[in-house]
Amino acid sequence: MGLIVQKYGGTSVGSPERIKNVARRVARWRQEGHQIVVVVSAMSGETNRLIALAKEIQAQPDPRELDVMVSTGEQVTIALVAMALIDLGLKCRSYTGGQVRILTDSAFTKARISNIDDLNLRRDLRDGYVVVVAGFQGVDEAGNITTLGRGGSDTTGVALAATLAADECQIYTDVDGVYTTDPRIVPEARRLKTVTFEEMLEMASLGSKVLQIRSVEFAGKYKVKLRVLSSFEEAGEGTLITFEEDEKMEQATISGIAFNRDEAKITILGVPDRPGIAYQILGPVGDANIDVDMIVQNVGHDGLTDFSFTVHRNDYSRVLEILTPIALHIKAREVQGGNRIAKVSVVGVGMRSHAGIASTAFRTLAEEGINIQMISTSEIKISIVIDEKYMELAVRVLHKVFGLDQPS
Ligand code: ASP
Ligand code: MG
């Protein structure tokens, strides 16, 4: 018997039938004597629909108002799930983020959780209620509704699990776990039984959409036991995110190939090579709350250098706007950009103890005639920026060369 947080994603609550199915699963866990907190996303497609609707009124929707609006998606599902549970004879109460008091900062559309008031939840759980909480949303000090960024319900789930010291946080989704890569691109991709927290963090930040990256950060920080499972299967152990690498040491060196088409590249040519230049370029980008991913600065020649970095594709035009006057100011020659790029990454903790992973990756891409535009590495990953049109090919050949299609 324990306290379990179960988070159900949009497809898992995508129709009345599926909601009833979720309720039946929750009821089974409840019958086994567990205390259950359910966190839900909006019904599938709903958040996109709301955002599109907002854009019909205002091309760049006001962030505060957008949050007021998109948070309604989850408010609908908590009520429906609660009704389904009550209909099964369970005691149940739903809460919006603000009702729980999931306190966040005021960064609308990408707020961060700063505190969760767990008083009501604990009382309800003690009194035998199933508690259903809206994912993705919170409230700031002033009482404004905020949202946590796309995919943010995962973070709500993990944050609640951390606050309540839950025994497990189960993320129910439309796949039965974390895969070596996206099976839609590589049909031979396999489900991983376990993946280390660090690998998961890399995969999430590198484009694997299974978990929102902030949820993984949270899980790591608070040592939340996290499991990804399918809501469409009765049984199945899914993928457990582990903290010990030891049990993996004998396994494959590489755990997965991640990819991401959501990036754009910006290059500033002929930048004066002097102290403070990187700051002059990237400072204003950071001030605009835009995350910079890969950064490459070439060796200078004749007092000039080239400076490239990548950002999310959505931020591309904004960054060009910010940098055009700056480039003039610092007397750079030219700002260039491209948003037809993709990033492919090889991830595995085994890289630490195995040499030659990078050269194997580079050789494999070379054999396919794929040109590498940028490279970045960490202890457990190698990321490569290439032309978007070769992305799927790159993922397939890397998946194969590292033996990820072989049963372990
Ligand atoms: N409904 C939100 C989204 O679609 C949050 C979530 O599903 O996690 O991004
Ligand atoms: Mg999600």
Side-chain angles (χ1 to χ4, degrees):
M1 266 178 7
L3 199 169
I4 314 280
V5 174
Q6 299 188 332
K7 180 262 171 179
Y8 292 93
T11 41
S12 309
V13 292
S15 68
E17 217 22 75
R18 287 182 177 176
I19 288 176
K20 288 180 190 169
N21 212 31
V22 164
R24 282 191 287 270
R25 183 187 298 268
V26 172
R28 278 202 303 278
W29 281 83
R30 192 67 198 107
Q31 266 150 26
E32 284 167 25
H34 301 288
Q35 295 184 317
I36 309 289
V37 175
V38 179
V39 174
V40 284
S41 292
M43 295 170 81
S44 55
E46 184 60 11
T47 308
N48 287 343
R49 188 186 70 83
L50 291 169
I51 292 172
L53 181 59
K55 286 185 175 164
E56 282 186 43
I57 302 290
Q58 201 183 9
Q60 299 269 8
D62 178 82
R64 180 184 182 278
E65 303 314 321
L66 189 62
D67 278 358
V68 170
M69 187 188 185
V70 294
S71 63
T72 61
E74 273 72 11
Q75 187 170 336
V76 169
T77 30
I78 54 168
L80 292 175
V81 170
M83 288 174 203
L85 285 165
I86 292 167
D87 209 43
L88 292 178
L90 276 81
K91 289 167 74 176
C92 176
R93 251 182 211 148
S94 73
Y95 288 88
T96 64
Q99 285 176 317
V100 174
R101 207 145 190 273
I102 297 179
L103 194 68
T104 71
D105 60 20
S106 305
F108 298 114
T109 77
K110 43 180 145 182
R112 281 179 183 270
I113 297 176
S114 50
N115 187 51
I116 296 181
D117 183 353
D118 59 1
L119 223 71
N120 292 336
L121 305 191
R122 283 193 193 279
R123 184 207 52 222
D124 284 354
L125 290 171
R126 229 182 2 253
D127 293 346
Y129 284 88
V130 172
V131 180
V132 184
V133 179
F136 179 54
Q137 55 177 263
V139 69
D140 72 1
E141 285 283 6
N144 297 301
I145 295 173
T146 55
T147 66
L148 310 178
R150 298 308 304 267
S153 298
D154 294 338
T155 301
T156 306
V158 175
L160 281 171
T163 303
L164 297 166
D167 295 288
E168 189 164 302
C169 180
Q170 303 173 341
I171 307 280
Y172 287 93
T173 174
D174 50 358
V175 290
D176 63 348
V178 178
Y179 275 67
T180 49
T181 195
D182 188 336
R184 281 168 300 192
I185 291 187
V186 185
E188 296 80 22
R190 289 177 305 102
R191 176 175 60 85
L192 296 161
K193 279 204 169 79
T194 64
V195 62
T196 70
F197 156 73
E198 284 173 289
E199 289 170 326
M200 196 61 233
L201 197 59
E202 289 285 7
M203 289 191 202
S205 67
L206 294 170
S208 155
K209 298 273 188 306
V210 184
L211 289 171
Q212 196 204 31
I213 177 161
R214 282 191 191 164
S215 73
V216 186
E217 284 167 3
F218 236 104
K221 194 161 161 199
Y222 297 100
K223 291 271 186 290
V224 174
K225 191 172 166 203
L226 191 59
R227 193 185 287 278
V228 177
L229 305 134
S230 164
S231 64
F232 301 122
E233 284 176 8
E234 287 302 315
E237 50 172 18
T239 300
L240 182 67
I241 322 293
T242 60
F243 291 94
E244 317 81 52
E245 286 169 25
D246 317 344
E247 50 181 301
K248 287 213 63 169
M249 278 316 192
E250 297 308 313
Q251 292 183 25
T253 320
I254 302 304
S255 288
I257 311 294
F259 57 85
N260 184 355
R261 306 175 215 257
D262 297 338
E263 290 200 28
K265 183 171 109 174
I266 287 113
T267 302
I268 309 175
L269 296 164
V271 175
D273 194 7
R274 57 160 195 261
I277 273 299
Y279 176 64
Q280 271 182 292
I281 295 171
L282 294 179
V285 176
D287 292 343
N289 237 323
I290 294 169
D291 289 331
V292 171
D293 182 21
M294 272 194 208
I295 304 170
V296 172
Q297 188 187 324
N298 290 342
V299 179
H301 270 293
D302 307 324
L304 295 178
T305 184
D306 301 334
F307 194 93
S308 299
F309 60 95
T310 63
V311 294
H312 194 283
R313 234 176 240 188
N314 290 345
D315 293 323
Y316 178 59
S317 51
R318 219 26 212 99
V319 171
L320 286 182
E321 251 170 58
I322 293 172
L323 284 186
T324 310
I326 291 172
L328 263 175
H329 178 72
I330 61 175
K331 300 195 166 58
R333 193 170 79 236
E334 193 187 345
V335 183
Q336 281 183 353
N339 56 6
R340 299 265 76 95
I341 56 154
K343 184 171 71 173
V344 176
S345 309
V346 178
V347 178
V349 288
M351 240 179 248
R352 288 200 188 109
S353 46
H354 283 75
I357 301 291
S359 64
T360 302
F362 300 153
R363 190 198 67 229
T364 306
L365 296 180
E367 280 166 5
E368 299 294 334
I370 300 173
N371 186 42
I372 298 174
Q373 300 182 15
M374 289 169 99
I375 299 169
S376 84
T377 61
S378 79
E379 263 196 302
I380 65 164
K381 73 117 198 279
I382 302 157
S383 290
I384 299 159
V385 168
I386 57 175
D387 188 326
E388 185 188 24
K389 66 174 181 260
Y390 300 120
M391 192 196 80
E392 297 196 2
L393 174 62
V395 171
R396 271 197 295 275
V397 293
L398 291 171
H399 192 267
K400 188 157 178 66
V401 76
F402 290 113
L404 293 174
D405 48 353
Q406 304 301 320
S408 56

